[in-house]
Amino acid sequence: MITLRRSEDRGYADHGWLKSHHSFSFADYLDPAHMGLGNLRVINEDRIAPGTGFGTHGHRDMEIVSVVLSGELAHRDSMGNESAIRPGEIQRMTAGTGVRHSEFNHAQGQTTHFLQIWLLPEATGLAPGYEQKAFDPAEQRGRLQRVASPDAQDGAIRLNADAALSLGRFDGAESATVALNPRRLGYVFVAEGSVQVNGQRLGTGDAATLDGEPELRLDGGQGAMVLVFDLAR
């Protein structure tokens, strides 16, 4: 079964300096039918105005993954990490027993556009942790590249959750087909462009849940960048 979630059906918040679309219930957006999927709890598509950002705030018992689509996101946390996340880079922060951090767009005249993803961890009370890596977009052309997983194989960042994240880029004749485990959930989020997911056209911001599908087929891309999640139920 494939269930579509269109971009325009997501929650939306406009704080002036921050414009955010919520795929699942978050903050003041509450939709009992969309509280998360398996152990995926949040996908927020955020746009941060130049010279603004999230001041220091706390998290705990959550795996937080950031994917920058354009611009640059400055990160500072209570573990002593200070970095900038750029397009092509993936950051994972294990909040565990507690982390405080801030995220800012210091660029002048350029909006930072990024995805923030929250996943429920494999256990509560983990030691806080941090990892950031760059991935070559060329390795995602016409295929899915694993960028985060519990086993950290093939250069992926280590994820302390029973979930995996892959990125793919599809245009024209590029296509990919992967087998799916029927005991797990698949979730496809289109970050840029449009693509066919098992024959159904999805545009930017659209998503599809795959439950019981034997495989995932991605084709017919038009400048598409997709995130594909393999999730525990």
Side-chain angles (χ1 to χ4, degrees), residues 34-218:
H34 297 93
M35 297 299 295
L37 180 70
N39 52 355
L40 175 61
R41 181 61 188 84
V42 166
I43 299 181
N44 287 346
E45 181 182 2
D46 291 343
R47 289 176 171 84
I48 303 177
T52 67
F54 300 93
T56 301
H57 59 284
H59 297 282
R60 62 183 302 126
D61 290 327
M62 195 67 69
E63 292 288 283
I64 300 174
V65 177
S66 297
V67 180
V68 173
L69 302 176
S70 64
E72 187 174 295
L73 186 67
H75 167 94
R76 178 182 294 175
D77 64 42
S78 55
M79 295 178 283
N81 299 299
E82 189 169 349
S83 67
I85 315 170
R86 301 175 178 87
E89 298 178 335
I90 307 293
Q91 181 204 78
R92 184 266 303 160
M93 188 176 73
T94 298
T97 54
V99 168
R100 293 182 63 77
H101 77 145
S102 62
E103 297 157 299
F104 271 88
N105 173 15
H106 293 305
Q108 296 300 314
Q110 184 176 20
T111 297
T112 294
H113 181 198
F114 80 108
L115 303 174
Q116 187 163 102
I117 299 156
W118 294 10
L119 291 141
L120 298 173
E122 60 192 5
T124 59
L126 296 174
Y130 171 95
E131 188 176 2
Q132 183 172 327
K133 286 187 178 181
F135 294 88
D136 184 356
E139 295 296 318
Q140 300 158 13
R141 291 246 55 98
R143 63 184 292 268
L144 293 175
Q145 181 187 35
R146 186 64 53 90
V147 297
S149 66
D151 57 17
Q153 286 188 350
D154 301 322
I157 62 174
R158 185 172 300 281
L159 197 59
N160 298 296
D162 186 6
L165 171 62
S166 299
L167 297 184
R169 299 172 189 267
F170 300 89
D171 202 35
E174 294 172 333
S175 65
T177 301
V178 295
L180 298 177
N181 184 338
R183 294 184 296 275
R184 299 177 65 81
L185 294 168
Y187 188 78
V188 180
F189 179 85
V190 181
E192 297 174 349
S194 67
V195 69
Q196 287 193 143
V197 177
N198 287 19
Q200 301 203 48
R201 173 65 58 179
L202 272 69
T204 304
D206 292 346
T209 299
L210 293 92
D211 186 355
E213 292 289 310
E215 64 182 19
L216 165 64
R217 301 185 308 279
L218 297 164

